Every structure is written in structure tokens, then in C-alpha cells.
Amino acid sequence: MKLPLLGLAFALVSQAALAADAAPALQDKQAFIDHLLGQMNQAEKIGQLRLISIGPEMTAQTIREEIAAGRIGGTFNSRTAAENRPMQDAAMRSRLKIPMFFAYDTVHGERTIFPISLGLASSWDLAAIAQVGRTSAIEASADALDMTFAPMVDIARDPRWGRTSEGFGEDTYLTSRISETMVRAFQGKSPAERDSILAIVKHFALYGAVEGGRDYNTVDMSLPKMYNDYLPPYRAGIDAGAGGVMVALNSINGVPATANTWLMNDLLRKDWGFKGVTISDHGAIQELIRHGVARDGREAAKLAIKAGIDMSMNDSLYGEELPGLLKSGEVSQAELDQAVREVLGAKYEMGLFKDPYVRIGKPEDDVPDTYAESRLHRDAARDVAKRSLVLLENREQTLPLSKSAAIAVVGPLADAPIDMMGSWAADGRPQHSVTVREGLRRALDGRGKLVYAKGANVTGDKAILDYLNFLNFDAPEIVDDPRPPAVLIDEAVKAAQQADVVVAVVGESRGMSHESSSRTTLEIPASQRELIKALKATGKPLVLVLMNGRPLSIGWEREQADAILETWFSGTEGGNAIADVLFGDYNPSGKLPITFPRSVGQIPLYYNHLSIGRPFTPGQPGNYTSQYFEEPNGPLYPFGYGLSYSSFALSDLSLSSKHLQRGETLQAKVTVRNTGKRDGETVVQLYLQDVTGSMSRPVKELKRFEKLMLKAGESRTLAFELGEDDLKFYNAQLQHVAEAGTFNVQVGLDSQDVQQQSFDLR
Ligand code: BGC
């Protein structure tokens, strides 16, 4: 049977789901859901809690049968109207015709891939980030997706963790602002709109703090640190209206998040008033057994539902165990109903009861080619990508390059379309990626000269190569050049010798910064370091273009290079954006959202650490101070750092008052001048320090920032308004308080080099 088109679908839902005489109008969400719940049998209820992955585990036929039998509530990983329509048709054949939803990890783009999240954060540009969320929603919804498992807002202070690439860095305030921006952009005017997708904030909670940066490891954390530093970004996303939360795989102080009643019921629902759906991460309910908190599947299912996991992702335990648990009374009808209610509520929010085909559309409107070039948003991708690039070094004004120069572009990542996209690249296609080599070629457009040589493989370590290639199902991620390293290097050196300048594109392949890609070192692999050494020996100016998904310890590379541009994984248009910056068509404006340590041994190293009793003072002997004696202290590059082709200066920091009365505000004013010869953007950052408190407080915390464009020679005075709320923190009793005392206002163009003024709170 060919199934329903839009109006008809609604009619079917109205007839069946609302069959009884007293069927409430769709406008009344609560009444509608209560009524529907009243019609559901137990199996149908349990079915709604099942979220399955579309993959090889089940055939399309079986999936449709299961849906028609009311045994599946939603899917993820299918991503076209043609794929999703038959599943929605099957749902419309089910007894109550409860619509399915279709989810996916649309994290930094759907088909047009934008920079990875860490790159987006480097832009410090909320308007640009909003554009990423909106464009992603437009593309994903056009391909029949209703929900995204994003934004990922886990604070990461240990760059060994491969998923550092997926988050927005180390800072609570910056990540919180981005979290709410992304949620609003994904969900648009309303998550029910045709071109909106429901945002699922993840991974709740504290996933970024896994011990040792080792993925899936435990998290142990004091409550004040949790409340002050790690929880606010999830809360910001929820307060911005996120429809759901994905629960983290890790344990928190010994209790796995998936079985954590305190986390999901007390904190999330009671304290924060969250009303949306909670979804377990992949297979997490089953994993409660290996966490050692459940003896068997039955206990795991019981713990999860009682703790507040509504939907179970790729995990059969709810289906297998809930009937028995309900029968024995170990799980109550009310507990089951509550979970079902949240799932139905999310479907309601996505507009699916009104029109199950709202994003699937009509078959005759299906696009003939999902991956058509015309469906991409290249201009937006290029614009955002160039804003995300961070200039780390530029000696002797090596950059920008001249378009009449002879350029050698070398390195294993110079022409690597898959790597441009970064991890979690949704439905991005490598053939759409503009690589750095291609971006330079297009920018030169026949002028100058461009020679290319690979120069090295990403890694010379066979075991690592095999590990990374395991990640891609379609084709090997990393194409290894079988020639001996010396031959590759020799070719690159010859290319360099013919050139005026060398652009070496080095760093990590995208799989090195991914789920399950934790590292013990932050160095660029040896094969690439050998290449850099040989290039340096040619005496040609050396520009390093870094691609990586975490801070790298690049102290040695810094000595070799004349210029360094951090590009993260910059997306579909990355090569063009990088060329825009290398040739000066765009003046770089990105700032680091995460500290670059000198070595892995310094980790964790983050700018907003607590005050301590024996701090190290630069320039003074380190003995009996908190430091490492083998290398200089402090970061290689601090949080908030990034250069421009222009220069900027701050002056005249002043406060409107030396005292802040509770309930009132004061203004911090500062003048910023473009002291260079080019127009450009910079990011003015305002930090606060609570000098003395009932607990040790951070040495500084970001509280405001503003990215602004200034013409050469132009200056502007910015005013930042600060109030009591900005001074609040969670004390040892977890009270959210602003304590009387002195506060330092520090304003800078990075977190280290700041001007300071003080005021008192009375
Ligand atoms: C990841 C989640 C992701 C899910 C579905 C899991 O492995 O931890 O972040 O949303 O898979 O793809």
C-alpha cells in the first residue's frame, strides 16, 4: 500500500490516535498525550522507548515490520526522505499510528561540513556559529531528519581525550554561550517547523572529564567544580529550550550516568526543571553490567528507567526486561508512563503528530541526487571556516603570501579530502571537500607557481595506521604511500627547492581526534616531524598549516616554522578559507578556545585554575612553588590567544564605580585600537577574579567577550555591564552566591596579557 501524504496522514492520526469521542484537540499538548497514552497497551509503550540504529544489524524489512507492530519509537543513521518514508509509512500502519522520528549526529553540518566544534569555538563569533546551526538544520530537515544528537558541550581540559575535537574547548562561559546559540539555531522558531530539528544536548554529564583523557573512563569530581565549571553548558542548552539530553557513558563519582538518579531526576528534572526527553548513549544500558552496578540485563533496565532514562539507544534491554519488571512491580506503571510521555512529548514538539511527514515530504518532491552540488551551502561554509582559523606565529611577516610566489605545498594533509571534514562529519562527502592544495591552486588562478609533494605519511607506525583505518567502513581513512619515508621526503625537499616559500600541512588525520582516539602524546607523529626537519634545512620560509582536533604540543615545531596557522578540521570549504588567510584576502581573527600545553606532562593545564598557596611566579626561582622543573612553566599558547595581520592595543580600562551594590550594575569600559595597517577583527575578552572567597576561586574566569571589526587606525570604546549575577558561584554548600569582597576585572586580547581594575561588592 502506498502511504499517506501530508493531509491524509494527519487524518489518519486524528482518527486513530484520537479515536475516542473525547479526543482532545492537538493544540493541547498535555491532554493530547494523556489521551494517547490511555490508548496504548504495554507493548506499545515499551516500543516507544526503543531507539534503533539503521545499520547492518536488522534488514529494512524487519525494521518496517517492527515499526508496524509498534515496537520502535525512533531511529538514527538513516538520512534521506526515500529511506525514512517507508519507515514512517510503517508507523502509519501501526495500531495507533504514532509517528516515528529520525535522528542523526548532525554536529557541524549535514552535507555541507563546517569546521569541527573546536574550530567553531575558535571563531568566538556567535553569529557565525548560529549560521552553522541553522544551515545544518536546513540541510538535515531537508533530508527527512527530525532530531540531532548535538550540541556536544562537554568541557575538555585534557586534550589526550579524542573527543576534545567535538566540544567547544575548556571554558565554561564560552561553551555555554555557544551551547545556547546552537540549540536556538537548530530548533529555529520552533522545533515543529519544517526546517528545524530538535536539539539533544550531550553528553550529560561531565564526559569531558574522563580520567587521564582516556575515553569511556570514570569521572571523579567535587560538587563545586561540577556546578561551577562543568554543568553550566548543559544547563545553558536546556534553558535555551533543547528538547532532549543524551546521557553520558561515564560514571560520576562511582555511579554511571545511565543509572544516576541524582543526575537525571534530582538535578536535571527537579532542580533545572527540564521537561524534555532523555536518551541513553549507544548501548549504555547494557554497559551498566560491565560498570559493575547491575548483575544482569534485568537489573540494568530497572536501574536505567528508575534513574530517568526515557529512551534506550541501540539496546534491547527495555524490550526484553520491562515486561517482567512491570509484572513483578519492580518498575511501576507510572515510571513507564513517565518515560513514554517524554518520548511522545518530544514527537509532539517536533511537529510529528500534526504531520508525520513534515520533513519527509512527498515522494514526487524527493531530490534526484542527495549529494547534488546545488544543495550545498558553500559560501556560508567558507565564511565560517575563515573565521575559525587561528594564526599562532607570523615571524617577519611571512604571511600573507604573495599570489605571484612559487609555493611548495607539502605534507600528508595537504590534499586529504576526508580529513578536511573532521570527525562526526554527518553526511558530508569527501569529494565535496576543497583541500588546502586545491584552495591554493584556485586562489593562484594561474598566477605564481604551485608544486605539490606529499612528503610523508600521517604516521609511520603500522599499528596506529591499522587502528585509524578501522574507523571507516567504506574505504580506508588514510591512504598510505608505500614508498620509503626518505623517498617521500626527498620529493618534498625538491619541491621546496623550486619554491619561494613552503606551506606544510601537518598534524593529525581526523580519526586521531575522534571517539575512542585517546592519545598518550600530543606530538605531531614522527614521520611528519622528519619532514618538517628536512624542509627547515632547505632554508626556505616555512609555513605550517596545522590540522588537528586537539591542542598539540608544538614547541619544537614553533622553533622550525616562520608562521603557523591552526586550522583544526575546517570543513568542506576549508581549503578555500585557508587560502583566503594565507594570501591575506581575509585577515585572521580566531582565538584559541583551549590552552596549548608545552608537553603532555603539564596536563591538565587550563587558564581558569583555582588560586593555590605556592604559585609559580615567572622570572623567579621555582623551588617550592607549584611547577615542573624540566621545562618553562605555563602554556605554549594561552586560552584566548591568536594573532592578526594587524595589531591591536587596549587602553584606558576604567570602571564606572569602585563599588558594586547588590542588585545594581557597573560598567567596565575599555578602548581598543587597530594599531596596524590592515582592517581586521579582534576579540576583546573580559575576565573576573574573585580575590578572596569562602573557597579558593579561579585566578580568572571569562565573563564577557566581544568580537569586533576595526579599520586600520580605528579605535572604539567598549562598555561591558557587570552585575551581581556575574559574581556568583556555587560555594561548598552548593549555594549560588556572590560573596562580598574585592573583584579584579581583567581585560585582554588573550587570557594572559591583561589590564586590571578592581571593585568591591558590599
Ligand atoms: C556517541 C554519541 C553519538 C551516538 C550515536 C555514540 O557512540 O557517544 O555521541 O551521538 O554514538 O551516533
Side-chain angles (χ1 to χ4, degrees), residues 389 401 407-421 433-444 450-452 502-506 543-547 565 567-583:
L389 309 178
L401 304 175
I407 300 170
V409 58
V410 301
L413 298 166
D415 205 16
I418 291 187
D419 296 299
M420 292 313 293
M421 301 195 296
S433 293
V434 179
T435 66
V436 180
R437 178 189 185 187
E438 176 61 10
L440 291 175
R441 189 192 67 75
R442 289 188 198 176
L444 287 175
L450 191 68
V451 258
Y452 164 76
V502 182
V503 173
V505 191
V506 293
V543 178
L544 295 187
V545 169
L546 297 179
M547 281 171 59
L565 183 68
T567 72
W568 313 110
F569 298 106
S570 50
T572 307
E573 280 287 306
N576 282 332
I578 292 166
D580 286 339
V581 166
L582 292 180
F583 290 117

Side-chain angles (χ1 to χ4, degrees), residues 22 46 109 112 261 302 327 356 371 373 581 590 722:
I46 295 172
T112 308
T261 308
K302 177 173 149 187
K327 195 160 176 215
Y371 304 106
E373 176 62 39
V581 166
L722 297 169

Side-chain angles (χ1 to χ4, degrees), residues 76 105 149 163 202-203 246 249 281-282 313 424 515:
F76 64 109
D105 290 279
F149 301 139
R163 302 194 80 168
K202 68 186 186 187
H203 304 84
M246 185 186 293
L249 292 164
D281 202 346
H282 206 279
M313 181 192 286
W424 295 104
E515 180 176 348

Side-chain angles (χ1 to χ4, degrees), residues 118-186:
L118 202 54
L120 297 181
S122 302
S123 75
W124 295 58
D125 187 331
L126 296 178
I129 291 169
Q131 192 178 18
V132 176
R134 196 79 284 278
T135 309
S136 304
I138 288 169
E139 290 192 358
S141 59
D143 280 344
L145 293 166
D146 306 300
M147 176 191 279
T148 176
F149 301 139
M152 187 285 216
V153 299
D154 303 324
I155 294 293
R157 291 176 176 175
D158 190 332
R160 287 174 294 183
W161 191 46
R163 302 194 80 168
T164 300
S165 57
E166 284 177 61
F168 301 106
E170 75 189 29
D171 184 60
T172 310
Y173 179 79
L174 181 60
T175 302
S176 298
R177 296 295 73 78
I178 297 176
S179 175
E180 62 200 15
T181 301
M182 273 302 223
V183 166
R184 292 197 184 110
F186 283 137

Side-chain angles (χ1 to χ4, degrees), residues 283 286-294:
Q286 181 78 42
E287 286 172 18
L288 292 176
I289 302 171
R290 282 193 304 243
H291 271 291
V293 298

Side-chain angles (χ1 to χ4, degrees), residues 5-75:
L5 305 181
L6 311 181
L8 182 54
F10 177 45
L12 287 173
V13 176
S14 326
Q15 278 168 27
L18 308 176
D21 298 343
L26 200 51
Q27 282 77 0
D28 186 343
K29 178 179 173 186
Q30 236 22 75
F32 175 83
I33 288 174
D34 286 345
H35 181 78
L36 181 52
L37 202 62
Q39 294 184 300
M40 294 169 77
N41 62 35
Q42 182 177 292
E44 285 162 339
K45 289 179 182 174
I46 295 172
Q48 283 302 306
L49 309 185
R50 183 170 173 213
L51 174 62
I52 64 155
S53 165
I54 302 296
E57 305 87 18
M58 239 194 276
T59 64
Q61 180 59 29
T62 310
I63 292 172
R64 283 177 222 164
E65 284 164 16
E66 288 289 287
I67 295 171
R71 285 197 287 265
I72 298 177
T75 76

